[in-house]
Amino acid sequence: MIPFISPAYADGAVAAGPGMAGQLIMLGGFVLIFWLLIWRPQSKRAKEHKNLIAGLNKGDEVVTTGGILGKVTNTTDEFVTLQVADNMVLNFQKSSVAATLPKGTIKAIK
């Protein structure tokens, strides 16, 4: 017996933790949870937003990410022109459009 090592430390060295297979299964489980809870829903939202932007037409009523309501008067590849009041039109990047609204929503609010 080695005088400087207590028997408790020697016994603990024999009981090793889970094997390599157990660690790989845990890692795979974490990756699966990450994919299901974070990556998949985010890509789904991005796809829906891309379809929303691609489907913008003249006359659609939309709300921007800043909360401005307006009616689409013109669209280009990068920008959309919104009529926000009787004599006021504003240009926004298409990516700043958050959602479309049902027809007549702006009229009902005024």
Side-chain angles (χ1 to χ4, degrees):
M1 183 167 160
I2 300 174
F4 298 110
I5 298 176
S6 73
Y9 287 120
D11 290 340
V14 176
M20 183 68 144
Q23 290 177 352
L24 288 176
I25 290 171
M26 289 293 287
L27 179 64
F30 283 129
V31 169
L32 179 67
I33 289 170
F34 178 79
W35 183 76
L36 287 173
L37 296 178
I38 297 173
W39 188 74
R40 187 171 169 249
Q42 179 62 31
S43 66
K44 215 175 192 183
R45 278 190 293 271
K47 187 176 182 181
E48 289 173 359
H49 189 256
K50 185 178 176 183
N51 290 337
L52 171 100
I53 289 171
L56 286 177
N57 293 318
K58 186 176 180 179
D60 289 344
E61 295 180 4
V62 297
V63 62
T64 66
T65 54
I68 297 174
L69 300 173
K71 185 180 277 192
V72 177
T73 58
N74 189 20
T75 60
T76 63
D77 290 339
E78 297 283 327
F79 294 94
V80 62
T81 303
L82 300 180
Q83 180 179 3
V84 295
D86 290 333
N87 292 323
M88 183 181 288
V89 292
L90 300 173
N91 292 321
F92 292 93
Q93 288 182 328
K94 277 189 171 182
S95 61
S96 68
V97 174
T100 58
L101 301 171
K103 300 269 184 194
T105 302
I106 295 174
K107 198 174 203 178
I109 293 173
K110 289 183 179 182

